[in-house]
Structure formats: C-alpha cells, structure tokens
C-alpha cells in the first residue's frame, strides 16, 4: 500500500517531510515485521518486533498504568497460553482413550439374557400386576437392561415396574413404553415410532430378583408383549457425552484462534479471511 506523512514531530534518523508519500510493503510473521519502504529512488528495509505493553512498562520501569490495548496488532502473536495446538493434541488423545475404553467395555460386557417373559394386556378388564418367576443376577454390581417389545399398531403400550431383590427387599423402579403408527398418504406409506424399547438400571447388586409389572395401553384389542432382562450391557450415552465434551474444547479454542487471526488480518489487502465477492 501507500503511506502519506500527514504530521511530523520529534527526531528521525532520516529526512522526513509533511506530505511525503512512500510505497510500503509489510512481511509479517508474528511477532516480527519486515517492512519495505520506497520513496522515489530510495529503498529502505526495517525489521520490527511486537512487544507487549507490560514488557515495555517493565523495561522502562514505568509506574503509571499503560494505555488500554485496543484491537489486535498486525504482528501480535496469539497467546501461547490459549494455543490450539496443545488443546487439539490432548483432545485427540482423550478421544482415542475414550474409544479404546468403550471398545473394552463392549468386549468384556456379557450382555447375558437372564429372563424373558410373555404377557397379554387384556384391555377389557383391569390389568393386574404381573409377577415374574425368580431369576438370578450373577457376578458383580452391574447395570441391568429391561427390554419391552409389543405388537402395537397405531397405538401404544406402557409398563410400570419394579425390579425387586428377593433377599434384601431392595427395589429398583422403572417405566418404559412403545408406540407405533403407520398409514398411507399422497406421498405413499409412512410409519413412526417403534414396537421395541429398552431402559437401563445402573448399579444393581448381584442376587435373586423378580419383576412386578403393570401395563396400560390404548389398544382396542388384547395385545401381547414381551419383557426381557439382560445384565452387564454396553451403554453409549456416557461415551457420547464424553466425546462431545472432548471435542467441544478444541472447537472453542479453534474458534478463538480464528477470531484473533481474522482481526489481526483485518487491515490487510491480502487477508485470507476476507470475503471476496465476484463482479
């Protein structure tokens, strides 16, 4: 670009005068700037470096407060304390660790089915509380998955139940339901919902248990439904929440870095962040 001297005061090591014009080119690699100035037949090169205001204050032993900083200087480096390189590397490392832990969880989870029961919701009478036969949960304290499958069509079925420890009387209550609708319209066939669902109960101690189940439904006919119990199953909710957290931090750091660089390049004619519009 071109620079024009509009006001002169102080002492200079070269002759400068008001109204003088120079063709100026800056080559910047923060924190340094290499400047080329051409005035007539004279060509000058100068090397400068960005210095933080607090470093200047300390270097000159100033006691008064420095003027507040405004904006981002062209040669101002992005703070190393908020560098995205380290954050991104740690994010990738933690993501790999999470994937390996989830893979190990899938590998060593038994997913053993320990009970399956078939019931019929009668519709025309009040649904009694169904009591399952006794079944055993072996091993350590673990999660339990209770699955529900019902042959509902354009209707729903919901169960409320208790997983009861026959030895201690401890009770784990749960609730789950299924709904499934389908039909035809001008675009063809459609469907929504599902005839299957699962709910997971965490931290269930080993022992002998039974289920108490009470169903409700809007179905106009008796409907058959199955209840399945599996122990030590692989779950995904904690994994996805952890992955979201791990990836969110590098994304925020990258956004901060890009915002900084966009402002640093804002006065340049060659900004890679500028929006270029066609004619």
């Amino acid at each position: 670009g071109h620079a024009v001297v509009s006001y002169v005061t102080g002492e200079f090591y070269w002759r400068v005068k008001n109204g003088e014009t120079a063709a100026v080119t800056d080559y910047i690699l923060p924190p340094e700037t290499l400047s080329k100035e051409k005035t007539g037949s004279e060509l000058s090169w100068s090397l400068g470096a960005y210095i933080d205001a607090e470093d200047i204050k300390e270097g000159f032993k100033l006691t008064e407060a420095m003027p507040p900083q405004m904006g981002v200087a062209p040669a101002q480096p992005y703070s190393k304390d908020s560098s995205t390189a380290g954050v991104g590397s740690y994010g990738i490392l933690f993501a790999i660790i999470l994937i390996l832990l989830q893979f190990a969880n899938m590998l060593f989870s038994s997913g053993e089915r320990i009970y399956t029961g078939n019931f019929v919701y009668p519709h025309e009478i009040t649904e009694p509380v169904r009591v399952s036969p006794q079944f055993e949960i072996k091993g350590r304290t673990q999660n339990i998955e209770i699955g529900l499958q019902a042959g509902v069509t354009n209707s729903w079925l919901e169960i409320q139940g208790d997983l009861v420890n026959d030895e201690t009387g401890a009770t784990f209550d749960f609730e789950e339901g299924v709904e499934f609708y389908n039909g035809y319209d001008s675009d063809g066939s459609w469907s929504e919902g599902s005839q299957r669902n699962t709910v997971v109960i965490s931290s269930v101690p080993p022992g002998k248990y039974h289920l108490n189940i009470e169903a409700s439904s809007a179905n106009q006919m008796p409907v058959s439904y199955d209840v399945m119990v599996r122990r030590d199953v692989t779950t995904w909710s904690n994994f996805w929440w952890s992955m979201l957290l791990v990836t969110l931090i590098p994304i925020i750091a990258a956004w901060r870095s890009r915002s900084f660089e966009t402002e640093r390049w804002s006065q340049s004619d060659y900004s890679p962040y500028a929006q270029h519009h066609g004619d």
Side-chain angles (χ1 to χ4, degrees):
H2 289 79
V4 180
V5 178
S6 59
Y7 182 79
V8 178
T9 185
E11 182 177 347
F12 299 86
Y13 63 87
W14 74 94
R15 177 171 293 183
V16 59
K17 59 183 179 179
N18 192 29
E20 185 176 32
T21 301
V24 180
T25 304
D26 290 329
Y27 302 92
I28 300 174
L29 181 62
E32 296 181 328
T33 302
L34 180 63
S35 297
K36 180 179 73 171
E37 299 181 19
K38 190 175 189 319
T39 55
S41 60
E42 183 178 351
L43 179 64
S44 301
W45 291 89
S46 57
L47 179 65
Y50 175 86
I51 302 177
D52 189 83
E54 291 303 316
D55 293 335
I56 294 176
K57 180 179 179 180
E58 182 179 351
F60 286 92
K61 309 300 181 185
L62 302 177
T63 56
E64 64 273 15
M66 299 295 288
Q69 181 172 324
M70 300 178 62
V72 178
Q76 181 176 344
Y78 190 50
S79 172
K80 293 182 179 180
D81 294 337
S82 55
S83 173
T84 58
V87 174
S89 299
Y90 281 118
I92 293 173
L93 177 62
F94 287 140
I96 293 174
I97 292 174
L98 283 174
I99 292 172
L100 292 176
L101 289 175
Q102 184 68 6
F103 180 76
N105 185 30
M106 294 172 59
L107 190 63
F108 293 106
S109 295
S110 70
E112 178 188 5
R113 181 176 293 190
I114 53 179
Y115 171 74
T116 300
N118 176 262
F119 306 93
V120 176
Y121 177 74
H123 173 65
E124 70 275 2
I125 62 174
T126 302
E127 167 72 352
V129 175
R130 309 286 186 172
V131 180
S132 75
Q134 186 183 81
F135 53 87
E136 185 176 3
I137 298 176
K138 300 179 181 180
R140 65 190 188 285
T141 297
Q142 60 204 278
N143 63 19
I144 297 297
E145 178 190 85
I146 300 177
L148 171 64
Q149 180 174 341
V152 293
T153 301
N154 293 321
S155 186
W156 56 268
L157 182 138
E158 184 178 273
I159 62 172
Q160 294 180 329
D162 298 309
L163 175 65
V164 183
N165 189 312
D166 293 332
E167 299 164 329
T168 66
T171 300
F172 302 87
D173 61 323
F174 62 92
E175 181 178 336
E176 63 177 319
V178 294
E179 55 181 342
F180 180 74
Y181 300 90
N182 63 0
Y184 293 88
D185 57 21
S186 58
D187 296 325
S189 62
W190 60 269
S191 65
E192 63 180 17
S194 175
Q195 295 178 328
R196 298 184 179 186
N197 196 13
T198 59
V199 64
V200 175
I201 303 174
S202 302
S203 304
V204 179
K208 295 181 179 180
Y209 289 81
H210 74 270
L211 292 175
N212 295 332
I213 301 169
E214 185 174 4
S216 58
S217 176
N219 212 59
Q220 298 301 313
M221 297 291 291
V223 57
S224 173
Y225 62 95
D226 296 318
V227 176
M228 294 78 67
V229 179
R230 295 197 304 154
R231 70 174 188 89
D232 192 22
V233 298
T234 300
T235 57
W236 289 90
S237 58
N238 290 338
F239 171 77
W240 289 120
W241 280 113
S242 299
M243 285 293 289
L244 177 62
L245 180 61
V246 165
T247 56
L248 190 61
I249 295 174
I251 288 174
I252 293 175
W255 174 79
R256 290 182 59 192
S257 175
R258 181 179 176 85
S259 298
F260 179 92
E261 288 297 310
T262 300
E263 187 170 359
R264 188 175 73 82
W265 281 86
S266 61
Q267 301 301 316
S268 172
D269 295 332
Y270 306 98
S271 172
Y273 305 100
Q275 295 183 354
H276 301 286
H277 302 283
D279 295 335

